[in-house]
Amino acid sequence: MAESTQLQQAQLATILGPDPAPFQTLISHLMSSANEQRSQAELLFNLCKQTDPDSLCLKLAHLLQFSPAAEARAMSAILLRKQLTRDDSYLWPRLNPTTQSSLKTILLTCIQQADNKSISKKLCDTISELASGILPDNGWPELLPFMFQCVSSDSPKLQESAFLIFAQLSQYIGDTMVPHIKELHAVFLHSLGNSPNPDVKIAALNAVINFIQCLTSSAERDRFQDLLPAMMKTLMESLNNGNEATAQDALELLIELAGTEPRFLRRQIVEVVGAMLQIAEADTLEEATRHLAIEFVITLAEARERAPGMMRKLPQFISRLFAILMRMLLDIEDEPSWHTAESEDEDAGETGNYSVGQECLDRLAISLGGNTIVPVASEQLPAYLAAPEWQKHHAALIALAQIAEGCGKVMTKNLEQVVAMVLNSFQDPHPRVRWAAINAIGQLSTDLGPDLQVQYHQRVLPALAAAMDDYQNPRVQAHAASALLNFSENCTPDILTPYLDGIVSKLLVLLQNGKQMVQEGALTALASVADSSQEHFQKYYDAVIPYLKAILVNATDKSNRMLRAKSMECISLVGMAVGKDKFRDDAKQVMEVLMALQGSGMEADDPTTSYMLQAWARLCKCLGQDFLPYMSVVMPPLLHSAQLKPDVTITSADDNSDIDDSDDESIETITLGDKRIGIKTSVLEEKATACNMLCCYADELKEGFFPWIDQVAPTLVPLLKFYFHDEVRKAAVSAMPELLLSAKLAIEKGQAQGRNETYIKQLSDYIVPALVEALHKVCHILKKFIKFPSRPGLTCGTYSAQVQFCGDGIAKPDLGALRSPPKCFTLLTWDRACLLRVRGVSPIGMHESPNRVSLTGLSERYPILGRSGMKCCLISCWAPISGPLLDENQVRSIVEEIKQVITASSSRKRERAERTKAEDFDDEEKELIKEENEQEEEVFDQVGEILGTLIKTFKASFLPFFDELSSYLTPMWAKDKTPEERRIAICIFDDVAEQCREAALKYYDTFLPFLLEACNDDNPDVRQAALYGLGVCSEFGGIVIKPLVGEALSRLNAVIQHPNALQAENVMAYDNAVSALGKICQFHRDSIDAAQVIPAWLNCLPIKGDLIEAKVVHDQLCSMVERSDRELLGLNNQCLPKIVAVFAEVLCAGKDLATEQTVSRMINLLKQLQQTLPPATLASTRSQENECAWALSRISTAAVTFAVSTTVSPNSPPPWLLVRASKASKAKAKPKPAPSLSLSHSSHWRCFCTAAPRPWLFVGLGNPGDKYKGTRHNTGFEMIDAFANSQGIAMNTVHCKAIFGQGNSWKFGIVGFVGGVPVFLAKPQTYMNLSGESTGPLAAYYKLPLNRVLVFHDDMTLPCGVLRLHPNGGHLCHNGLKSVIYHFRGNREFPRLRIGIGRPPGQMDPKAFLLQKFNATAQGRIDAALQEGVNILKVVLSKGFAESARRFNSEQKYKHLRVETLPT
């Protein structure tokens, strides 16, 4: 070991010594394609970085400046950039100032000397990367002057380089560039308008577009409007000069602008779109140029979130674009190979034009919708169908299939015409037209099902059966079988069963066809038919299974591998359809064949492997525990597949001889900088399948999987950070809780081979940190994407062109270039959800603090709140759980995030103010700003919640951080701030005063004047928070507050004596004023006229609005009576009647007004009064005697509890309009109902109690009408009905487009009190996809915060009959939830009850599956689940959502199914 270390030290000394040759050799080896040589070079390079970073960087810089080899200079630029990138290996802070200065000088010198364009670009990347880290701190003051000097020079090369750097700095640190906006505008305008060099113009265009995107103010962006003509001129000049390569670069940049800032184009949209369509129509231009012009227009159409309706306002252009795309579909050749069907290439004869036309029709229809596209299609398609050319017939049918997804609703209304149009073409003389008609039926079966199946099965199925007889055209036969698959996926058994005799017999004939593609199509269709017909397929089992087994045994040639693989799939699905009893004997034979095949050793690229893994899993699902004996055979190859290493090849980007010449279609390439990376996707697919199957086995076998945990866990846990394939990571993540559950059940049932709970703890300690670390990494990726968003249409930008050298010799591409943000966000959600599941499954307390995860970069999951909101949301969720585990550095990181949130909020407010001044400001924009203001308030609410939690947790230890925040919080008290900001600022001080007590006295001089003034604020929310704080200060302020007691009494008197003090919106402030007055009486009696003030306080009692303060105040009253407080009782006990009346009212009003202990004390006092007062006194106070007797009569003789009967006056506002909260909330909540469509989370942190609980709105999602009754998609309706029936609530009222309950109601609403809690029940009648049109108005009408709106919906990700309660979440691709979220203004923070319905079988379309009815077995599970749901909903009403969800979810069997199975 010592010798090895000495050898390395000697090598390092040589490499970093004065002789440049060894270092040049090292760099050369880093570029080697030999893994061993490259790995050794990576090791030495990393050692250099650790031991002497200064010498390493200077060596790289020297090589960059002086090496004669261009490849070495390029690699030096890449490596130098990597060292100067702000990530885990960031070297700049470790370099001494001399090295730093030298590097900056050398880089700028190299830019001026570079004669190679590729190296110049890499130099620009390096300079930009370094500048992004040091320029904001004025660490490179020479750079910007140098860049402006380059732009003004006569050298096109320097001009281009400067613009490249400007472009990247705009991406990295755009804010730093904004102060130079005037100079940049002038530079851009001059270069775009006057430069003769096309490269300079494109670089300037790139810089302009990136800079526009970095501007947060619409006014700032508008300053660049005058550049748009010059930008378009750059494009058109390139085209006119025949320089299409430059034009394509310009188009790519403009596409980026259209996607990110479409409103920038609004004023000149007609000219810009017209020019693009002109380019698209120019047949003399290259296809790539025309395609990019089309992509620009499609991108604008898809940017409807940023520019809603902008393209729909240009119908003349939509019609013109549709015509262009239709003409592109005519670009197809009648290739002979298509007819011979010797290969599976269905695209034979199709051109690039044809493919682009197909894709863009689909995207256009989805983005603009049926109301816009169907009229255009109806106008143009008939002419194509009437034309004599087969290509036009073909184009019309293809177009019809392509637009069906986006136009489904409108096309369904015209189903007769659509179906007739397609079926007429089944008889067309040209086989490619017949193929297109069959293709259209297949697509329409998916997009317009099940309506098409229900209404036209008697016409479509015979037509498909006839098409299967077209033996002269085997490709048509095969496609008819595929279309049958699509049609049957949306079929219920009652539709399909009458046709099964003919269908199965035809498919069996096709199985004997000589064309392999026909056989494969028949196998796939047969599997789907079996899935859809379920138990009805048993009739055909004996006839079908011999054919399937024969193919499995005999299809042994390499050319038949896919045929054999599909036979495995079909057998396993047929077996699941007919059930274990029917399939058992054949299953044994099939598994013997599979075992033999598995043992024979298959080639690495054999597709059979993946199919076999899935077939084994289906067999396991079918046989259940009977499958356990085969696990010893299944698991070794499955683990081998799961452990496959990614097959990665690295070559030079300029080398076209390796990867591009490969015939392996499974290799995908990505170009990163000067490297091209080839990844063999077939290996990754096999790995992903294996990981999914491991998860499936653990899920299905439960404790039976225990013997394999020790091998599976070390295989899957490292894959939590496997970034080459999302499905691998997802499978690894979702398997973690299954492994823990398996171990838990095995130990509980004594099947753990002697292991005990210590094993679970060890397993969880192994899993949870890995999950947390994986979450860290995803957060890091997200941060990169926010900073460096990918460009549409490009593989990667120069900003992500780097390669990370891994210890295993594999060059791992920079993650930013390999992933799209939505996928990253999905993985992040997956990681977090699994982490929570793991914590819920394990019975042993986890010690890993969630706050140890990075708290930045997560907001993109919650676009409604933005980055700041997500930070707050995440911290506020985790801080209460694990606050005590935070160390000082972690608390500081949270505080720094809060500072950023507040700063960012101020910036957003300024931006919104600027937007209101824009010339195109309209009502739509006004509404948007209103929504954003509401979201901003929610962000501040979360800031307050976080700080409140930290203050409560750390108390006085947090005050140094509070001091840091003071400069951010103090401005929030100002009158020009929103009421919500002022309320939050007051509440934070309230928490400091209450939790820190004596340590907080030093802040009184600063904040008490603000607090006293706020006690009489116009806003009741602000008043309430201030009055609560005044009470806290009165209790803990001691001598500091004594001089202010007089002013405090005056402020309190103004609140209490106000004529509207007891109105609903003011009552919470009133109660807090009474409470504060009581504390002054208690703690500062010597500073007041007690004989006047205390009786005045008594006359305010009881208080009933703020139930928390009510308990405090009434307990104080009880104590004063017990000690016979003289001022309270008054002269000759004259106040005693009032005291007795208060006691009686408190006791009769309900236990919410006093604690159990206080109630007991009041009862004892009343008894004493009744027994001890002299008769004369009682006679003079007969009223209180009666009150005492009546109250005492309500007392149970068995206990000191009492019956409560809460009543509401018919003339008073419903008491539940006020908000309930926990003790921690107290006086900081809003006294009035939560605003319409509130963005609050579960219990609003500043909310208050009232005399009755706030209502719940239960909404079940589904489709109206008998046609949909009993379908899987209507389980939300069924849950509403089950709950209504259990409570005797009649659902016979219509309100807000929903079926509502009827009963003793207030404005359509309270359909019943369940356990004393008012409940609304609703079934929206808008159809599922428009559920929000009812749910949103309902929540707004009753002014309910979203945490009181519980939505019931079906969920395909849960097994049939499994329920889960969730406090929030995304839409899970559920259209009903999408609509609800949309009408909740994008807010996802509402609870939901997820009702598992299982996954679709095989390849069945989810839409068809959702609209099928349950079979008997599944219906039994659903019925049981509905009863469970009713029970848990009662618990939610009585115990609250959080506690109910935690307990209920841990009892439910939460599963993630990983195979395509027949749903029960």
Side-chain angles (χ1 to χ4, degrees):
M1 186 69 179
E3 292 180 1
S4 175
T5 302
Q6 291 177 357
L7 177 60
Q8 287 182 349
Q9 294 298 328
Q11 288 177 309
L12 292 182
T14 303
I15 291 170
L16 299 177
D19 184 1
F23 188 79
Q24 292 176 2
T25 302
L26 174 68
I27 300 302
S28 174
H29 287 176
L30 285 174
M31 296 183 286
S32 171
S33 58
N35 284 344
E36 184 177 350
Q37 189 177 61
R38 190 174 66 249
S39 297
Q40 181 62 27
E42 291 166 13
L43 176 62
L44 291 172
F45 186 87
N46 289 329
L47 286 173
C48 291
K49 183 165 61 176
Q50 294 169 13
T51 57
D52 194 350
D54 287 279
S55 296
L56 175 65
C57 289
L58 290 174
K59 281 279 187 180
L60 287 170
H62 184 273
L63 194 63
L64 174 62
Q65 189 173 11
F66 298 111
S67 175
E71 188 176 20
R73 296 202 306 276
M75 190 63 178
S76 297
I78 292 173
L79 292 174
L80 192 56
R81 179 193 175 199
K82 176 63 179 172
Q83 313 318 309
L84 302 179
T85 299
R86 294 177 69 90
D87 58 15
D88 296 338
S89 60
Y90 188 39
L91 286 185
W92 185 260
R94 295 172 53 193
L95 303 179
N96 65 53
T98 303
T99 302
Q100 292 178 344
S101 178
S102 298
L103 286 176
K104 290 186 289 187
T105 301
I106 292 172
L107 287 172
L108 297 185
T109 301
C110 289
I111 277 286
Q112 297 175 76
Q113 296 175 348
D115 54 1
N116 181 297
K117 190 165 186 176
S118 173
I119 295 177
S120 291
K121 289 185 176 180
K122 290 178 176 60
L123 273 168
C124 292
D125 295 341
T126 304
I127 291 172
S128 301
E129 193 72 58
L130 175 58
S132 69
I134 65 175
L135 200 58
D137 299 324
N138 199 31
W140 202 347
E142 307 89 354
L143 179 60
L144 289 179
F146 171 80
M147 290 165 60
F148 281 113
Q149 179 182 346
C150 290
V151 169
S152 303
S153 72
D154 296 329
S155 168
K157 176 178 67 68
L158 288 179
Q159 292 174 355
E160 181 183 6
S161 296
F163 281 128
L164 289 174
I165 297 172
F166 273 128
Q168 295 189 58
L169 289 182
S170 297
Q171 293 174 345
Y172 295 157
I173 49 170
D175 292 344
T176 305
M177 307 293 293
V178 171
H180 305 280
I181 188 169
K182 184 176 180 180
E183 295 86 349
L184 287 171
H185 177 274
V187 164
F188 293 150
L189 184 61
H190 179 269
S191 296
L192 287 172
N194 301 318
S195 176
N197 189 290
D199 291 339
V200 172
K201 283 194 171 185
I202 289 297
L205 183 63
N206 183 19
V208 169
I209 290 174
N210 279 285
F211 190 67
I212 290 172
Q213 291 178 82
C214 85
L215 296 174
T216 58
S217 164
S218 58
E220 290 176 342
R221 288 192 294 270
D222 287 344
R223 294 179 63 174
F224 289 80
Q225 281 283 332
D226 60 339
L227 294 183
L228 190 52
M231 295 160 68
M232 292 299 297
K233 182 181 177 183
T234 298
L235 168 64
M236 303 311 290
E237 281 183 353
S238 300
L239 292 173
N240 293 333
N241 295 333
N243 192 351
E244 290 198 48
T246 300
Q248 290 169 16
D249 290 340
L251 282 166
E252 288 175 348
L253 293 168
L254 290 168
I255 289 169
E256 180 181 350
L257 180 64
T260 56
E261 294 295 340
R263 282 180 287 192
F264 180 78
L265 304 168
R266 178 180 289 164
R267 297 182 194 172
Q268 302 177 60
I269 189 70
V270 173
E271 294 81 3
V272 172
V273 173
M276 291 298 178
L277 293 181
Q278 184 180 353
I279 295 171
E281 292 168 335
D283 294 335
T284 57
L285 297 177
E286 295 177 10
E287 280 188 5
T289 304
R290 296 162 59 200
H291 294 171
L292 286 171
I294 293 171
E295 177 65 26
F296 176 91
V297 183
I298 296 292
T299 300
L300 271 183
E302 290 176 330
R304 57 189 185 279
E305 289 185 7
R306 290 186 171 90
M310 187 170 71
M311 284 298 294
R312 277 193 287 269
K313 297 174 183 176
L314 305 172
Q316 72 278 21
F317 287 144
I318 301 303
S319 179
R320 189 173 164 190
L321 176 60
F322 194 91
I324 292 170
L325 298 177
M326 288 301 300
R327 289 196 294 272
M328 293 173 75
L329 292 183
L330 299 178
D331 197 354
I332 183 172
E333 302 294 334
D334 197 11
E335 289 283 345
S337 61
W338 189 92
H339 295 275
T340 60
E342 296 297 335
S343 70
E344 294 188 14
D345 183 15
E346 291 185 346
D347 300 334
E350 296 177 4
T351 63
N353 263 337
Y354 178 91
S355 300
V356 171
Q358 264 192 312
E359 177 195 353
C360 289
L361 279 170
D362 180 38
R363 292 168 59 192
L364 189 67
I366 291 173
S367 60
L368 298 184
N371 289 326
T372 300
I373 295 300
V374 169
V376 176
S378 300
E379 180 184 350
Q380 298 188 23
L381 293 187
Y384 276 75
L385 288 169
E389 300 89 352
W390 73 265
Q391 290 93 338
K392 290 191 175 182
H393 289 210
H394 185 274
L397 293 166
I398 293 298
L400 205 58
Q402 291 302 108
I403 68 173
E405 181 180 359
C407 304
K409 292 180 183 178
V410 178
M411 291 175 70
T412 301
K413 298 176 183 177
N414 303 283
L415 204 51
E416 172 62 34
Q417 297 94 311
V418 173
V419 172
M421 187 185 303
V422 176
L423 290 182
N424 288 340
S425 296
F426 269 54
Q427 309 303 320
D428 194 277
H430 200 288
R432 293 202 75 147
V433 174
R434 297 199 298 276
W435 182 95
I438 294 169
N439 179 74
I441 280 293
Q443 190 64 51
L444 295 175
S445 297
T446 298
D447 295 328
L448 307 186
D451 297 90
L452 185 145
Q453 283 85 341
V454 171
Q455 298 178 38
Y456 296 98
H457 59 84
Q458 72 279 8
R459 293 167 60 181
V460 173
L461 284 173
L464 289 176
M468 284 190 271
D469 293 334
D470 191 352
Y471 292 98
Q472 299 300 316
N473 295 282
R475 201 179 291 276
V476 173
Q477 281 184 299
H479 210 52
S482 299
L484 178 62
L485 180 153
N486 288 36
F487 191 91
S488 64
E489 285 176 341
N490 270 335
C491 266
T492 55
D494 57 313
I495 291 177
L496 198 57
T497 301
Y499 301 94
L500 284 180
D501 288 351
I503 289 174
V504 173
S505 63
K506 282 185 179 291
L507 291 175
L508 289 179
V509 171
L510 294 185
L511 283 180
Q512 304 168 63
N513 190 291
K515 296 290 185 181
Q516 183 173 326
M517 75 166 57
V518 177
Q519 292 177 300
E520 291 177 8
L523 282 171
T524 306
L526 202 56
S528 177
V529 168
D531 271 352
S532 298
S533 56
Q534 301 178 27
E535 64 271 11
H536 299 283
F537 199 78
Q538 290 187 1
K539 173 182 176 181
Y540 309 97
Y541 177 80
D542 293 332
V544 168
I545 200 69
Y547 285 97
L548 302 182
K549 291 195 296 185
I551 295 174
L552 178 65
V553 172
N554 298 323
T556 55
D557 293 344
K558 185 173 182 178
S559 60
N560 291 326
R561 292 187 306 186
M562 183 56 73
L563 184 65
R564 182 176 57 187
K566 287 185 177 291
S567 71
M568 295 178 191
E569 176 185 58
C570 188
I571 290 171
S572 60
L573 288 169
V574 167
M576 294 190 68
V578 301
K580 180 167 66 174
D581 294 338
K582 184 78 173 176
F583 183 53
R584 181 181 284 110
D585 293 338
D586 289 309
K588 293 179 181 178
Q589 299 176 31
V590 169
M591 288 191 287
E592 288 175 1
V593 174
L594 294 183
M595 285 190 292
L597 183 60
Q598 190 165 277
S600 64
M602 292 178 288
E603 296 180 14
D605 61 345
D606 193 338
T608 308
T609 301
S610 179
Y611 278 83
M612 185 186 300
L613 295 178
Q614 296 180 61
W616 278 122
R618 292 192 187 98
L619 294 170
C620 174
K621 184 68 178 175
C622 180
L623 301 177
Q625 297 296 314
D626 293 346
F627 188 79
L628 280 173
Y630 297 95
M631 286 294 287
S632 59
V633 176
V634 171
M635 286 300 291
L638 187 61
L639 286 167
H640 171 76
S641 295
Q643 294 165 357
L644 287 173
K645 300 293 184 185
D647 190 348
V648 180
T649 305
I650 303 173
T651 62
S652 169
D654 300 325
D655 185 358
N656 297 320
S657 60
D658 294 335
I659 298 177
D660 288 349
D661 294 339
S662 172
D663 294 329
D664 191 345
E665 295 182 355
S666 70
I667 291 183
E668 291 188 3
T669 62
I670 300 173
T671 300
L672 297 174
D674 62 343
K675 296 294 180 184
R676 181 181 289 112
I677 299 179
I679 304 175
K680 194 165 188 177
T681 55
S682 60
V683 174
L684 297 179
E685 295 296 339
E686 180 182 343
K687 186 180 184 75
T689 300
C691 293
N692 275 318
M693 296 309 103
L694 288 173
C695 183
C696 173
Y697 288 129
D699 169 39
E700 181 62 33
L701 299 176
K702 296 294 186 292
E703 63 274 10
F705 193 74
F706 181 83
W708 303 98
I709 291 178
D710 285 344
Q711 296 181 56
V712 172
T715 298
L716 294 184
V717 168
L719 297 181
L720 295 172
K721 296 185 290 184
F722 187 83
Y723 299 106
F724 285 106
H725 200 285
D726 290 343
E727 286 302 318
V728 172
R729 290 195 62 229
K730 287 183 180 180
V733 169
S734 58
M736 297 299 106
E738 305 300 347
L739 297 180
L740 283 168
L741 181 60
S742 174
K744 178 176 180 289
L745 292 175
I747 290 170
E748 290 176 350
K749 296 181 180 182
Q751 301 177 20
Q753 305 167 357
R755 303 282 182 88
N756 56 28
E757 288 191 349
T758 303
Y759 176 78
I760 303 178
K761 179 65 171 67
Q762 293 169 346
L763 184 61
S764 66
D765 286 346
Y766 177 54
I767 288 174
V768 173
L771 275 171
V772 172
E773 185 180 354
L775 184 59
H776 257 300
K777 191 64 178 178
V778 176
C779 295
H780 176 69
I781 297 170
L782 289 174
K783 289 167 68 179
K784 280 194 171 187
F785 268 105
I786 297 309
K787 197 170 185 181
F788 317 131
S790 298
R791 290 179 181 169
L794 298 181
T795 303
C796 64
T798 55
Y799 43 80
S800 56
Q802 56 182 280
V803 175
Q804 298 176 3
F805 293 101
C806 305
D808 58 3
I810 296 175
K812 183 169 65 176
D814 180 47
L815 301 175
L818 290 177
R819 294 287 177 263
S820 65
K823 288 185 179 180
C824 290
F825 304 153
T826 301
L827 289 172
L828 174 62
T829 307
W830 207 281
D831 286 349
R832 291 190 67 222
C834 183
L835 187 57
L836 295 175
R837 272 192 68 201
V838 166
R839 292 170 182 234
V841 167
S842 177
I844 299 176
M846 301 294 178
H847 300 292
E848 290 77 16
S849 165
N851 295 83
R852 300 181 190 278
V853 179
S854 171
L855 298 171
T856 57
L858 297 175
S859 61
E860 293 67 37
R861 281 190 59 216
Y862 297 86
I864 190 69
L865 292 180
R867 184 167 181 243
S868 301
M870 185 50 207
K871 289 177 186 175
C872 296
C873 179
L874 184 62
I875 302 170
S876 64
C877 289
W878 284 354
I881 299 171
S882 50
L885 300 179
L886 295 171
D887 58 34
E888 182 178 350
N889 290 332
Q890 291 161 341
V891 173
R892 181 172 299 281
S893 69
I894 294 175
V895 170
E896 290 302 319
E897 292 293 332
I898 291 172
K899 292 177 183 178
Q900 292 182 31
V901 167
I902 297 173
T903 302
S905 175
S906 299
S907 175
R908 288 192 295 270
K909 287 178 182 176
R910 289 192 297 271
E911 186 269 340
R912 284 195 290 276
E914 290 297 320
R915 279 162 53 190
T916 61
K917 302 173 184 176
E919 61 180 276
D920 59 347
F921 183 76
D922 53 17
D923 290 340
E924 179 184 316
E925 190 74 8
K926 182 178 180 180
E927 185 63 26
L928 182 61
I929 287 179
K930 180 182 177 183
E931 293 176 7
E932 291 175 7
N933 286 333
E934 293 174 357
Q935 296 166 16
E936 202 76 66
E937 288 189 358
E938 177 63 15
V939 171
F940 272 99
D941 201 35
Q942 292 172 2
V943 167
E945 186 173 355
I946 298 162
L947 288 176
T949 299
L950 293 171
I951 293 166
K952 291 178 178 67
T953 301
F954 297 103
K955 301 190 184 304
S957 299
F958 186 75
L959 290 182
F961 297 103
F962 178 74
D963 293 337
E964 291 183 26
L965 287 166
S966 292
S967 60
Y968 293 84
L969 299 176
T970 303
M972 292 168 58
W973 291 71
K975 281 285 189 179
D976 62 336
K977 302 300 180 182
T978 65
E980 183 69 6
E981 287 179 83
R982 286 183 280 131
R983 183 182 70 82
I984 295 298
I986 294 169
C987 290
I988 293 169
F989 173 71
D990 292 353
D991 285 331
V992 170
E994 185 173 17
Q995 301 298 324
C996 303
R997 302 192 178 184
E998 294 84 1
L1001 294 178
K1002 61 183 179 180
Y1003 302 111
Y1004 278 39
D1005 288 344
T1006 301
F1007 292 108
L1008 267 180
F1010 292 110
L1011 195 71
L1012 288 167
E1013 183 180 3
C1015 288
N1016 303 117
D1017 195 273
D1018 293 336
N1019 185 276
D1021 299 353
V1022 175
R1023 284 203 307 275
Q1024 180 193 0
L1027 291 163
Y1028 175 79
L1030 183 58
V1032 170
C1033 292
S1034 299
E1035 182 175 357
F1036 302 115
I1039 61 173
V1040 177
I1041 198 174
K1042 278 190 181 296
L1044 299 173
V1045 167
E1047 183 180 353
L1049 288 177
S1050 176
R1051 298 278 185 181
L1052 294 174
N1053 184 63
V1055 174
I1056 293 170
Q1057 298 300 323
H1058 195 281
N1060 298 325
L1062 293 178
Q1063 288 186 356
E1065 66 271 19
N1066 297 321
V1067 70
M1068 303 298 283
Y1070 173 86
D1071 285 1
N1072 278 267
V1074 173
S1075 177
L1077 183 59
K1079 290 178 180 177
I1080 289 177
C1081 293
Q1082 180 178 354
F1083 297 102
H1084 301 280
R1085 185 174 293 209
D1086 57 343
S1087 300
I1088 64 174
D1089 183 352
Q1092 291 187 10
V1093 175
I1094 291 177
W1097 172 74
L1098 177 62
N1099 284 330
C1100 298
L1101 305 184
I1103 59 173
K1104 301 178 182 179
D1106 187 334
L1107 301 190
I1108 296 174
E1109 290 305 305
K1111 291 181 174 67
V1112 174
V1113 169
H1114 299 148
D1115 182 77
Q1116 179 184 352
L1117 174 64
C1118 209
S1119 298
M1120 294 173 73
V1121 174
E1122 286 172 339
R1123 64 173 184 263
S1124 300
D1125 189 286
R1126 184 180 52 171
E1127 284 83 7
L1128 178 72
L1129 295 175
L1131 186 65
N1132 298 322
N1133 295 327
Q1134 64 183 16
C1135 295
L1136 191 57
K1138 174 62 178 177
I1139 294 171
V1140 172
V1142 172
F1143 279 12
E1145 196 169 352
V1146 169
L1147 293 175
C1148 297
K1151 60 184 179 181
D1152 284 339
L1153 296 184
T1155 65
E1156 185 175 336
Q1157 183 182 13
T1158 303
V1159 166
S1160 177
R1161 292 163 61 196
M1162 284 185 174
I1163 292 171
N1164 290 333
L1165 286 169
L1166 289 173
K1167 287 180 178 180
Q1168 292 173 23
L1169 287 172
Q1170 199 172 34
Q1171 295 170 3
T1172 60
L1173 282 177
T1177 304
L1178 281 176
S1180 64
T1181 58
R1182 180 59 57 188
S1183 60
Q1184 75 259 27
E1185 179 188 19
N1186 294 337
E1187 293 281 8
C1188 288
W1190 186 87
L1192 290 169
S1193 71
R1194 306 282 289 176
I1195 302 171
S1196 169
T1197 56
V1200 288
T1201 57
F1202 54 93
V1204 178
S1205 176
T1206 303
T1207 59
V1208 181
S1209 168
N1211 297 321
S1212 64
W1216 46 261
L1217 276 177
L1218 302 173
V1219 186
R1220 177 181 298 276
S1222 63
K1223 173 64 179 173
S1225 325
K1226 277 197 180 179
K1228 298 140 191 158
K1230 300 181 179 181
K1232 58 185 179 183
S1236 171
L1237 302 185
S1238 165
L1239 299 176
S1240 61
H1241 302 296
S1242 47
S1243 289
H1244 201 284
W1245 82 290
R1246 299 301 186 189
C1247 295
F1248 294 81
C1249 305
T1250 63
R1254 196 169 19 161
W1256 280 89
L1257 170 60
F1258 290 174
V1259 181
L1261 303 187
N1263 287 307
D1266 292 338
K1267 180 169 72 170
Y1268 299 105
K1269 190 174 182 180
T1271 61
R1272 290 179 172 88
H1273 219 19
N1274 270 37
T1275 51
F1277 275 12
E1278 292 188 35
M1279 183 61 77
I1280 286 287
D1281 291 336
F1283 187 82
N1285 292 336
S1286 73
Q1287 303 302 310
I1289 299 170
M1291 299 293 292
N1292 55 9
T1293 302
V1294 177
H1295 181 42
C1296 289
K1297 301 182 182 179
I1299 297 295
F1300 236 60
Q1302 187 176 25
N1304 294 327
S1305 62
W1306 179 80
K1307 286 191 178 180
F1308 302 100
I1310 306 177
V1311 298
F1313 280 79
V1314 180
V1317 179
V1319 182
F1320 301 75
L1321 302 184
K1323 297 194 297 184
Q1325 299 297 292
T1326 55
Y1327 286 90
M1328 177 67 79
N1329 293 359
L1330 302 175
S1331 298
E1333 292 184 2
S1334 171
T1335 309
L1338 281 171
Y1341 184 88
Y1342 294 108
K1343 301 185 184 298
L1344 294 175
L1346 296 194
N1347 64 307
R1348 302 296 282 195
V1349 180
L1350 178 55
V1351 177
F1352 311 159
H1353 67 89
D1354 56 288
D1355 192 328
M1356 287 193 295
T1357 67
L1358 294 178
C1360 184
V1362 174
L1363 306 178
R1364 290 287 281 180
L1365 279 170
H1366 278 272
N1368 50 37
H1371 53 66
L1372 300 173
C1373 297
H1374 191 290
N1375 288 334
L1377 282 179
K1378 285 182 182 178
S1379 178
V1380 172
I1381 291 170
Y1382 175 81
H1383 284 273
F1384 282 170
R1385 300 176 182 173
N1387 191 359
R1388 307 175 179 191
E1389 303 302 314
F1390 59 92
R1392 58 285 301 271
L1393 174 63
R1394 300 164 56 197
I1395 307 168
I1397 59 172
R1399 292 185 183 277
Q1403 302 299 314
M1404 182 177 187
D1405 182 75
K1407 296 178 183 177
F1409 177 76
L1410 291 171
L1411 297 178
Q1412 281 187 349
K1413 295 187 177 182
F1414 294 102
N1415 61 21
T1417 303
Q1419 189 62 56
R1421 294 185 182 180
I1422 289 297
D1423 291 341
L1426 294 178
Q1427 185 55 50
E1428 288 180 338
V1430 169
N1431 294 336
I1432 190 55
L1433 290 173
K1434 294 177 184 177
V1435 178
V1436 168
L1437 294 173
S1438 61
K1439 301 291 186 183
F1441 187 90
E1443 180 180 353
S1444 306
R1446 177 177 53 80
R1447 296 175 58 186
F1448 179 67
N1449 291 341
S1450 65
E1451 297 168 1
Q1452 285 287 304
K1453 296 179 180 179
Y1454 184 79
K1455 302 177 181 179
H1456 283 288
L1457 299 181
R1458 286 298 165 200
V1459 290
E1460 301 289 339
T1461 61
L1462 175 68
T1464 50

